[in-house]
Amino acid sequence: SVYTPLRANMAPGFGDYTLNANKNVVVAIQIETADAIANIEEIAATPGLDMLFVGRFDLGLSLGLHEKYGLSFVNTPEMDEAIAKTVAAAKKNNLILGGFTFGAKMDYFLERGFTFLSTGNDLHHIVSQATTNVAALRELAKKYEKTWNGRPSKCIE
């Protein structure tokens, strides 16, 4: 970058940010469409590419798996085949494998050699923590012999 991020340079430990930032760039492409799977060999061979990052939900929608399987479409033979093609292309080109997942489903990626995992998104984390907080509040209400039911919500049980 031509311009120095002044605030970053003033923060403790970031004095040499501009000198090293470009040495730490990772170039990733998201594999989230049927076209990406159809062209995975060519995509993975792109010079300068560091990572193939899979989003199974969007990929499954693009592959038409939602119509066939409903909400369990990310755990299907067709998805496994698409992931296997992606893994093979990444290994052939010495690329990092990345994926988007939630909690217990991380095994799916780890078993296949993925080393970069995004473990949720902002909405997931907000709802998860809010659910935990509401459960704690309900327990405290019982402890103090209070009735608290909250309001019905589709996000928090």
Side-chain angles (χ1 to χ4, degrees):
S1 172
V2 179
Y3 303 102
T4 303
L6 188 58
R7 290 185 190 146
N9 280 336
M10 291 188 289
F14 287 96
D16 60 353
Y17 171 81
T18 54
L19 298 174
N20 293 302
N22 290 334
K23 296 175 190 171
N24 295 310
V25 172
V26 173
V27 177
I29 189 162
Q30 290 186 244
I31 306 300
E32 296 188 328
T33 65
D35 285 342
I37 298 301
N39 296 292
I40 197 67
E41 290 291 332
E42 294 83 4
I43 292 169
T46 301
L49 184 62
D50 298 306
M51 180 191 310
L52 298 178
F53 187 91
V54 178
R56 288 193 302 166
F57 190 82
D58 290 339
L59 178 57
L61 292 174
S62 179
L63 291 170
L65 300 180
H66 183 261
E67 291 82 9
K68 185 175 180 181
Y69 295 102
L71 292 177
S72 62
F73 69 88
V74 294
N75 301 311
T76 62
E78 295 93 335
M79 180 62 71
D80 290 342
E81 181 182 340
I83 298 297
K85 288 179 182 179
T86 304
V87 169
K91 287 182 179 178
K92 179 179 177 183
N93 292 280
N94 196 32
L95 298 175
I96 299 165
L97 282 162
F100 180 84
T101 188
F102 294 99
K105 297 178 176 125
M106 290 186 278
D107 273 356
Y108 180 90
F109 287 108
L110 294 172
E111 289 170 352
R112 289 159 177 78
F114 284 68
T115 57
F116 184 96
L117 297 180
S118 174
T119 59
N121 59 23
D122 52 356
L123 179 60
H124 167 255
H125 293 300
I126 290 168
V127 170
S128 295
Q129 189 58 53
T131 300
T132 299
N133 290 345
V134 167
L137 184 56
R138 285 186 176 134
E139 288 302 311
L140 284 171
K142 286 180 194 175
K143 177 181 174 182
Y144 292 101
E145 299 177 357
K146 303 286 182 186
T147 302
W148 185 83
N149 294 319
R151 292 183 178 173
S153 170
K154 291 183 179 184
C155 295
I156 301 172
E157 306 223 3

